[in-house]
Amino acid sequence: MASSLKKVAIIGSGNWGSAIARLVGRNAARLSDKFDPTVKMWVFEEKVDGRNLTEIINTDHENVKYLPGRKLPENIVASPDISDAALDADLLIFVLPHQFIKRSCAPLAGKLKSSAKALSLVKGFAILPEGGVQLISQIIENEMKVPVSVLMGANLANEVADEKFCETTIGATDNEVGEDFKQLFQTENFRVSVVGDKEIVEICGALKNIVACAAGFCDGLDMGDNTKAAVIRLGLKEMIAYGEKFYPGGSLSTYLESCGVADLITTCYGGRNRRVSEAFVRTGRPLADLEAEMLNGQKLQGPETAAEVNYQLRQLGAEDQFPLFTTVHKICIGKMKAEHLIEDLRNHPAHL
C-alpha cells in the first residue's frame, strides 16, 4: 500500500545537500517497496541568472549554484517552503549550516509527525547562552521533538557527487532506524557503517574542522608533510581527549571509523577549511573575506567551531589541556600569528 511507504525530506540544498540528494533520490526510487519515490528537498530560494533556484532544480534537475555539472534525479522535488517539504515526512535529513538550524526550522517546531525520525549531517556545535556547548543533533531533537541520528565521514561533497568510492558512518542508538537510513544512503561507491556511539560520531565531524585549519596553516607556511602529519596526530589526540572529557563512555574504535580518522585525513588534505586557512596565511587577508571569495556561499566551519570549543574550555579552565584547539582559535581571531603554531605546540606538556 502506498500509505505504508516512508516519505523522505531533505532539509538543505547546498553543495553537500545536493550531493546526498543524488544518493537518496536514486535509492528511494530503487527501493519503491519501502520508500515513497518522491523526495522533497527544501531549498532556500534565491535567484540564479534571473531564475528561481527551485525552478532550475525542478526543470533542469541540477543545482547550478552549489553542485554544477551533476544532474539530480528527477524524483528530487525542490520546494522553497520548508513546511511543504517536511511536515509530511517520516524520515528527515538535515543538511544545512548549523548557524541556520533554529531560524530555518522554526516553522517545523512541534509540527512534525510524531513517528518521524531525523538524521543530521550538520557539523559543528552551538554555544548555549547559559554556558557550554550543545550538539546540533540535540538542538534538532529539542526543537523538532523527534529522535535524531547522525551521519559523518570522509565525504567531500564533489567526490561523492562524482561517485568516487568512499565510506561514511551513521551513529544511531536505534538499530532499526540506523538501517533505514543506511538503505537510503548506501550505494556501490558510498559504503555505510552503523554504530551506536552517536555522540562520538558527531563530535568527530565538528572537531576535525579545527584540526584542518591547523593543517592549512602548515601548508600556508610550507612546513611540509612531516609537520602536517604531526599536527594531524596531535589533533586526533585532542579529539579523543575531548570525547573522554565531555562525552565519557564512548568507544575508542569509533575514532577509527570513517567519521574519525578518515574524515580527519581527508579534511586536512582536501577540505574547504584547509584551503581557506592556507590562503589566510599566504595572503594575510581576513578569514571572512576569503570565505566570501572562495566558497561560493558555503560556510567556513573550522574557525567558528574553534571559537565554540574555546568558549567551553575557557569556562572550565581547560584551555591548557587542548593546546592545538586553543592555538588555532587564537590564530583565527588574530591573537597569535600562524608562524607561532609549531612553536606553541612543540614542547607542550599535553602532547608529551
Side-chain angles (χ1 to χ4, degrees):
M1 290 176 59
S3 60
S4 68
L5 298 177
K6 293 181 178 177
K7 295 185 177 180
V8 180
I10 300 171
I11 310 303
S13 58
N15 184 238
W16 184 212
S18 297
I20 65 101
R22 287 167 54 87
L23 308 176
V24 170
R26 288 173 185 169
N27 281 340
R30 182 174 61 84
L31 301 170
S32 56
D33 59 331
K34 180 163 187 171
F35 303 110
D36 188 313
T38 298
V39 176
K40 290 187 176 179
M41 179 169 71
W42 175 64
V43 175
F44 179 77
E45 193 69 280
E46 53 188 310
K47 294 282 187 181
V48 180
D49 296 329
R51 297 171 67 194
N52 286 338
L53 185 55
T54 52
E55 179 207 339
I56 295 171
I57 291 172
N58 290 332
T59 304
D60 302 342
H61 308 294
E62 182 181 345
N63 188 334
V64 294
K65 179 166 184 180
Y66 296 109
L67 195 68
R70 287 89 161 184
K71 289 290 185 180
L72 298 175
E74 293 189 11
N75 59 318
I76 296 292
V77 177
S79 174
D81 181 341
I82 196 169
S83 297
D84 171 67
L87 291 184
D88 204 26
D90 300 290
L91 299 172
L92 297 106
I93 299 163
F94 288 86
V95 54
L96 67 170
H98 75 281
Q99 304 95 311
F100 305 145
I101 291 277
K102 281 196 173 185
R103 185 170 77 242
S104 298
C105 298
L108 308 180
K111 297 180 182 176
L112 297 175
K113 284 184 176 180
S114 59
S115 58
K117 305 293 188 294
L119 181 73
S120 172
L121 279 64
V122 185
K123 296 179 178 178
F125 297 114
I127 292 177
L128 293 170
E130 66 273 20
V133 302
Q134 189 175 29
L135 298 177
I136 301 301
S137 64
Q138 292 173 340
I139 291 176
I140 297 172
E141 216 158 73
N142 294 344
E143 296 286 320
M144 303 295 111
K145 311 301 182 194
V146 295
V148 182
S149 304
V150 298
L151 181 149
M152 305 283 158
N155 308 140
L156 295 177
N158 288 346
E159 294 185 12
V160 172
D162 290 338
E163 299 179 38
K164 295 179 179 178
F165 180 83
C166 66
E167 302 172 313
T168 200
T169 311
I170 288 177
T173 53
D174 183 319
N175 285 337
E176 187 177 336
V177 173
E179 285 302 314
D180 278 348
F181 281 118
K182 177 176 179 174
Q183 287 187 55
L184 267 179
F185 279 83
Q186 179 152 283
T187 69
E188 186 179 23
N189 288 315
F190 193 79
R191 310 304 292 176
V192 181
S193 297
V194 181
V195 301
D197 228 353
K198 186 178 86 169
E199 291 175 330
I200 301 302
V201 171
E202 185 166 5
I203 66 165
C204 284
L207 297 174
K208 53 98 180 185
N209 285 322
I210 304 177
V211 188
C213 289
F217 299 152
C218 288
D219 289 341
L221 295 166
D222 295 317
M223 288 180 166
D225 286 334
N226 289 344
T227 302
K228 190 156 127 177
V231 164
I232 292 170
R233 184 191 74 82
L234 295 174
L236 178 60
K237 195 173 176 182
E238 290 194 16
M239 287 167 61
I240 295 169
Y242 182 95
E244 290 175 347
K245 185 175 185 69
F246 295 105
Y247 301 95
S251 171
L252 192 62
S253 66
T254 302
Y255 295 94
L256 301 180
E257 296 288 344
S258 182
C259 63
V261 66
D263 196 8
L264 178 63
I265 291 169
T266 195
T267 307
C268 287
Y269 278 89
R272 73 185 77 155
N273 292 279
R274 188 216 63 79
R275 286 193 295 115
V276 175
S277 296
E278 178 183 6
F280 172 70
V281 174
R282 293 195 187 280
T283 67
R285 294 173 58 201
L287 284 166
D289 291 355
L290 293 167
E291 176 188 65
E293 182 180 298
M294 298 174 65
L295 298 185
N296 190 34
Q298 294 176 268
K299 302 303 292 181
L300 190 62
Q301 297 150 316
E304 185 159 344
T305 303
E308 291 155 357
V309 168
N310 187 259
Y311 175 84
Q312 181 183 29
L313 297 177
R314 194 168 62 250
Q315 283 186 312
L316 299 174
E319 286 177 291
D320 204 47
Q321 297 172 32
F322 297 86
L324 181 67
F325 291 173
T326 301
T327 299
V328 167
H329 172 63
K330 287 179 179 176
I331 293 170
C332 288
I333 63 172
K335 273 193 162 184
M336 182 182 289
K337 290 189 177 296
E339 288 81 357
H340 295 155
L341 172 69
I342 301 305
E343 176 188 330
D344 204 55
L345 297 175
R346 185 176 279 116
N347 296 311
H348 198 286
H351 286 151
L352 295 179

